[in-house]
Amino acid sequence: MPAPRRRRLNRKLAPWLFLAPGVLMFLIYVLIPIGESMWISFFQWDGLSAKTWVGLSNYLELLDDDAFYTSLKNNLIWLVLYMLAIPFGLFIALFLNQTVRGIRIYKSLFFFPFVISQVVVGLIFSWFYAPGFGLFFELTKWLDGTGIAILANPNTVTYGIIAAGLWPQIAYCMILYLTGLNAVAPDQIEAARLDGAKGIKMLWYVVLPQLRPATFIAVVVTVIGALRSFDLVSIMTDGGPFGSSRVLSYYMYEQALSEYGYRMGYGAAIAVVLFAIMMIFISGFIWKMWRDERGL
């Protein structure tokens, strides 16, 4: 083969060879499990004995399942309230993006919730809310005389868990915005100052447009984090009281893998519904990235 032709062939093959390991891992650990979950959702199966084909029965059963609707409603509440992490993260990042004495100590304190595990966060907030000795309970007791056991009340338990989840999520968004603020062009800031811009106008018209990539990543990770919430529900309430704090991922675990379930097909059907909801958002994010790449 002539040398010029061989070089052209190598240039065409090189990107695919670099991509091959990642594509292979994505196929094995993502695409095949998704396809297998969809396939299992059409069966009645306890994980050990032979599968029985039931078609769409698992999905039809979901339509009459009150626990499924409770879990879906809680996921939507998580999704809406979790988005508060983005403006709070931005506000703290703006506060920390200063060159004053001792600011590194404050940064370390705000980084702390990001580096500890969700299990530790769940335990801390469980003690914080605990009736009898929790700080939150004692404060509310001082105010109303009886105290609020937030995790024992079906009407407040989901909000208590979300508040715990927001703590590390705000820290994560803050780190994204701090990174973005380091890339803000100083010449544009100086030019805006010469034009008389300051305060909210400077933030809205000069800083925030340059933080658009950080905001995009913050929205993506926050939406996905809200939909895949599982750890805190498991640690703080086990889905209780009376199943009122379940989310779809935890209900899937209960049905498929816990001692109350072993209904692999039904759990897979819940997983497919959760995946479909996530795909709505993921498709939107991919479409946005595609448009940005093409400069549209």
Side-chain angles (χ1 to χ4, degrees):
M1 180 185 295
R5 189 177 173 188
R6 190 168 60 245
R7 280 197 294 271
R8 283 198 300 272
L9 183 62
N10 288 339
R11 278 199 293 269
K12 287 181 180 177
L13 282 177
W16 295 105
L17 289 174
F18 283 113
L19 282 172
V23 171
L24 186 63
M25 299 288 278
F26 188 73
L27 179 69
I28 293 173
Y29 291 106
V30 178
L31 293 183
I32 291 177
I34 290 173
E36 196 162 2
S37 294
M38 290 178 178
W39 177 245
I40 291 173
S41 70
F42 297 116
F43 290 88
Q44 184 178 353
W45 185 40
D46 62 5
L48 295 173
S49 57
K51 301 186 190 78
T52 304
W53 174 265
V54 293
L56 295 173
S57 294
N58 287 324
Y59 293 98
L60 295 175
E61 187 178 340
L62 280 177
L63 297 176
D64 293 324
D65 188 345
D66 291 337
F68 169 73
Y69 287 113
T70 301
S71 306
L72 184 61
K73 184 191 78 173
N74 286 338
N75 260 121
L76 292 176
I77 295 173
W78 267 85
L79 190 58
V80 172
L81 295 184
Y82 225 47
M83 299 305 286
L84 292 173
I86 297 171
F88 278 114
L90 173 63
F91 177 77
I92 297 172
L94 290 171
F95 168 71
L96 294 176
N97 190 44
Q98 302 177 63
T99 52
V100 296
R101 189 174 182 181
I103 196 67
R104 289 186 179 179
I105 297 174
Y106 290 109
K107 283 184 180 179
S108 302
L109 292 174
F110 282 104
F111 284 160
F112 175 71
F114 175 68
V115 298
I116 59 177
S117 78
Q118 293 276 308
V119 175
V120 177
V121 173
L123 287 174
I124 290 173
F125 272 82
S126 295
W127 296 331
F128 180 62
Y129 295 138
F133 63 90
L135 179 60
F136 178 82
F137 182 82
E138 292 299 323
L139 285 173
T140 54
K141 186 178 178 182
W142 179 69
L143 290 173
D144 68 0
T146 57
I148 299 174
I150 196 166
L151 296 183
N153 187 335
N155 295 320
T156 59
V157 60
T158 297
Y159 300 101
I161 301 173
I162 293 172
L166 278 172
W167 190 39
Q169 190 63 28
I170 288 172
Y172 187 72
C173 292
M174 178 200 72
I175 292 170
L176 289 174
Y177 278 120
L178 274 176
T179 308
L181 285 169
N182 288 329
V184 170
D187 54 333
Q188 293 189 21
I189 299 288
E190 194 60 34
R193 279 187 183 142
L194 291 174
D195 289 339
K198 59 182 179 180
I200 299 296
K201 281 187 177 179
M202 174 76 81
L203 176 67
W204 186 259
Y205 292 108
V206 180
V207 177
L208 285 183
Q210 297 186 64
L211 291 177
R212 197 170 292 161
T215 303
F216 177 73
I217 299 295
V219 171
V220 171
V221 297
T222 303
V223 167
I224 293 174
L227 291 174
R228 53 183 279 195
S229 51
F230 175 88
D231 312 31
L232 292 175
V233 175
S234 177
I235 294 297
M236 296 176 72
T237 63
D238 272 340
F242 315 115
S244 58
S245 64
R246 285 191 189 108
V247 290
L248 286 176
S249 57
Y250 190 81
Y251 189 44
M252 173 193 68
Y253 159 76
E254 275 191 334
Q255 291 296 318
L257 298 170
S258 79
E259 55 186 314
Y260 308 109
Y262 295 114
R263 300 183 64 196
M264 296 291 178
Y266 196 61
I270 299 170
V272 170
V273 172
L274 180 59
F275 173 71
I277 295 171
M278 294 182 84
M279 276 307 296
I280 295 172
F281 294 97
I282 292 171
S283 302
F285 296 142
I286 293 174
W287 179 75
K288 173 74 170 52
M289 289 172 65
W290 179 79
R291 284 179 60 88
D292 289 346
E293 286 287 330
R294 296 179 65 89
L296 298 176

